[in-house]
Amino acid sequence: MARNPVSAPGPTQIKDDWISNIFEWAGGKVLMVGIILSLISTGILIYLTYYFGNNFVTSSPQDPAGIQALRDAATMHSWGQIGLLIGLTLFAAGMALMFWGDIALPLTLLIVATLFFTSNWWIDWVIGYRETSPESYAVLNRALWSLKLGGLLLGIIAIVLQVADIAVRIRNRTLFGAKDTLMKYGSGIREDYDYKNVFMGKCWQLPFCRKFVREKCPIYHARRCCWRERVGCMCEEEVIQGAMTGNVIPKDAVSAAKYIPYNKMLTPAQKAERCRQCVIYNEHQRQKYKLMTYVVPLGVLAFYGMFRQPLLMWTMGLVGDFDKMMSRFTFSTEGTEPVAETIVGAGPGMLEEFVLIGIMLFIFAQLMKIVEFCIFKLKI
C-alpha cells in the first residue's frame, strides 16, 4: 500500500510555531530586563543597609546634612523597593517563558526567593553592623524588609507557576499519556471501533486491542493480562499469526492459558522493555496516572486535615524564627537594644495558614512530578 506523502504544515502548526518564536524572543528580553532591574534595585537596598548600618545619621535640626541624607534614603528606598518587586516579577515571567515545563524553573525561582527572604542574615554576615542612631536603623530595617518582601513575592510566584505547570501536565498526561512517537509497538494505531473501555482494565478491555485479534487471543480467553505474561498482540508475532490463521482457542480459562505463546528467545528484561514501548501498556499507564490525580490530592488534603494543628504550630515556629532573625535589627525609640515582640499564648493566624497552604501546594506539585516520573519514565 502506497504511503501518503508528507503534508505541508497547516495553519494551526504555523500559528503555534509563530507564537512559540514570539514567546522565546520575548522571554529572553524580559528575563534580561528583570535580572538587570533586580540587580540594580538590590544594590540600592544593600547600599542603604551598609551606609545606615555603619553611620550615625539623625534627624536633628542641628544636623541638616543628616536630614537631607534621610530624605534621600527614603527616595532611594522607594525606588529600590518598587524596582525590586517589578524586576523579580519580570525575572519570573522571563524564566517561565523560556523554561516552562523544565524542572529547573521552580527550583531556580525558589532558590532566588530564599536568597532574598533570608537576606537579613547573609547581609549581616557579609557586611556587618554596629550600633548607630535609631533613625539609621529605621532606614536599615526598611531596606531589609524590602528585600524580604521581594523574596516572599518571588516565592508566591514560584508556587503559582508550579501549580499551573502541574495542572497543564496533568491535563496532557491524563488525555494522551506518554508521547505516541515513543511507542515502538502500536505507534500511530487508532482506537478500535468495537471495544469496551474499562478503567484500569486488562489489555483486552482497553481501546487499542483489535477485535479480530481478541477473539483468537489466548490472553483474552485466559482472562489474563498481556503485560503480566509479557506476551501481547502488539509485540509477539505468534499472537497475530494465530488470529490470521484462525486458531481455535478453548473458551475455558485454564485450557486457554496453555496456548499463550511465550517467547523463550528473549530475557525477562527484554520482554519488560517491549511492554514499556507498547501503546496498550501506555494506555494502562495513562489510566493509572489519572487514578493518581485523585489519590495524591486526596492524600495531601487528608494529611493536611489530620495534622493541621501540629503543622500550623510548626509553621508558626518557622515564621517566628524569621521574625527573631529580623528582630535583631528592630530597635525601640528609647534606645539601641533590640526588642523582640512575643505574644504569650498566641496561636497561629492567617499568615501561618497562608504559608502552610503554600507549602502543601508545593509538596503536592512535587509529588505529582514524582508520580509522573515513576509512571511514564520508570513505567512502574
Side-chain angles (χ1 to χ4, degrees):
M1 183 174 63
R3 299 181 61 182
N4 294 329
V6 178
S7 59
T12 302
Q13 183 179 354
I14 294 175
K15 181 180 178 181
D16 291 342
D17 292 341
W18 178 76
I19 294 176
S20 299
N21 292 334
I22 290 294
F23 280 171
E24 184 177 355
W25 176 86
K29 302 298 184 294
V30 172
L31 179 61
M32 184 59 62
V33 172
I35 291 175
I36 293 174
L37 187 57
S38 298
L39 288 176
I40 293 175
S41 302
T42 302
I44 292 174
L45 295 174
I46 291 179
Y47 167 77
L48 291 176
T49 61
Y50 172 76
Y51 182 82
F52 288 91
N54 293 279
N55 290 280
F56 194 92
V57 180
T58 68
S59 58
S60 173
Q62 287 77 27
D63 187 10
I67 296 175
Q68 186 61 43
L70 292 173
R71 290 175 178 174
D72 293 341
T75 303
M76 291 177 64
H77 171 262
S78 298
W79 283 108
Q81 177 175 285
I82 294 173
L84 180 63
L85 297 180
I86 295 176
L88 290 178
T89 302
L90 293 176
F91 169 72
M95 289 287 293
L97 289 173
M98 293 193 65
F99 303 104
W100 182 262
D102 195 321
I103 192 174
L105 172 61
L107 184 61
T108 302
L109 294 182
L110 286 173
I111 290 175
V112 176
T114 303
L115 187 65
F116 276 96
F117 196 75
T118 59
S119 57
N120 57 302
W121 175 79
W122 60 263
I123 288 178
D124 179 31
W125 181 71
V126 173
I127 298 177
Y129 306 102
R130 61 184 178 84
E131 293 185 2
T132 58
S133 66
E135 290 89 346
S136 295
Y137 269 98
V139 176
L140 180 147
N141 287 333
R142 288 195 294 269
L144 289 174
W145 172 249
S146 296
L147 292 169
K148 187 175 182 180
L149 181 63
L152 182 62
L153 173 65
L154 188 60
I156 293 173
I157 294 175
I159 292 176
V160 171
L161 290 177
Q162 180 90 327
V163 174
D165 176 52
I166 286 297
V168 173
R169 294 163 75 103
I170 288 176
R171 177 183 177 275
N172 292 336
R173 287 299 194 181
T174 53
L175 288 177
F176 307 110
K179 293 183 179 179
D180 182 67
T181 54
L182 300 178
M183 298 297 107
K184 182 178 180 180
Y185 304 100
S187 177
I189 192 172
R190 295 182 178 274
E191 297 181 1
D192 196 8
Y193 69 94
D194 185 11
Y195 71 93
K196 181 181 180 181
N197 193 4
V198 177
F199 186 73
M200 294 300 295
K202 295 180 171 60
C203 56
W204 39 271
Q205 295 173 314
L206 299 179
F208 295 102
C209 181
R210 321 318 284 178
K211 181 181 179 181
F212 83 94
V213 178
R214 182 166 63 246
E215 293 175 345
K216 304 295 182 180
C217 179
I219 294 288
Y220 166 70
H221 291 290
R223 291 298 187 264
R224 297 190 182 183
C225 189
C226 65
W227 53 81
R228 300 293 182 191
E229 304 298 327
R230 304 301 189 193
V231 173
C233 60
M234 294 292 170
C235 62
E236 196 62 57
E237 294 182 358
E238 289 189 38
V239 177
I240 300 296
Q241 290 176 354
M244 297 294 292
T245 56
N247 284 355
V248 178
I249 306 298
K251 304 300 183 183
D252 177 69
V254 177
S255 301
K258 299 178 182 179
Y259 287 80
I260 298 176
Y262 295 105
N263 192 328
K264 298 181 180 180
M265 302 297 293
L266 301 177
T267 64
Q270 290 174 324
K271 293 179 182 179
E273 185 61 28
R274 292 194 309 184
C275 290
R276 296 188 185 99
Q277 300 181 47
C278 176
V279 67
I280 295 180
Y281 184 71
N282 174 67
E283 175 64 16
H284 170 71
Q285 294 298 94
R286 185 190 70 82
Q287 293 187 1
K288 185 188 298 183
Y289 181 80
K290 188 174 182 179
L291 176 64
M292 295 303 296
T293 60
Y294 295 97
V295 173
V296 173
L298 288 176
V300 173
L301 284 175
F303 180 81
Y304 174 79
M306 293 174 60
F307 302 99
R308 179 174 175 271
Q309 287 303 322
L311 289 172
L312 281 175
M313 296 303 296
W314 172 78
T315 306
M316 187 173 68
L318 185 66
V319 174
D321 290 340
F322 281 110
D323 287 339
K324 289 179 182 178
M325 291 173 64
M326 287 298 295
S327 68
R328 66 179 301 176
F329 305 110
T330 304
F331 288 77
S332 65
T333 58
E334 298 179 355
T336 58
E337 292 300 322
V339 178
E341 296 184 1
T342 304
I343 302 176
V344 179
M350 290 299 297
L351 175 61
E352 288 78 12
E353 191 83 51
F354 179 78
V355 173
L356 179 58
I357 291 175
I359 293 174
M360 298 306 293
L361 287 175
F362 177 77
I363 292 174
F364 163 70
Q366 300 310 310
L367 286 176
M368 288 307 304
K369 285 188 176 181
I370 294 174
V371 168
E372 180 181 355
F373 178 78
C374 292
I375 291 179
F376 293 109
K377 297 296 183 181
L378 301 181
K379 303 289 186 178
I380 297 176

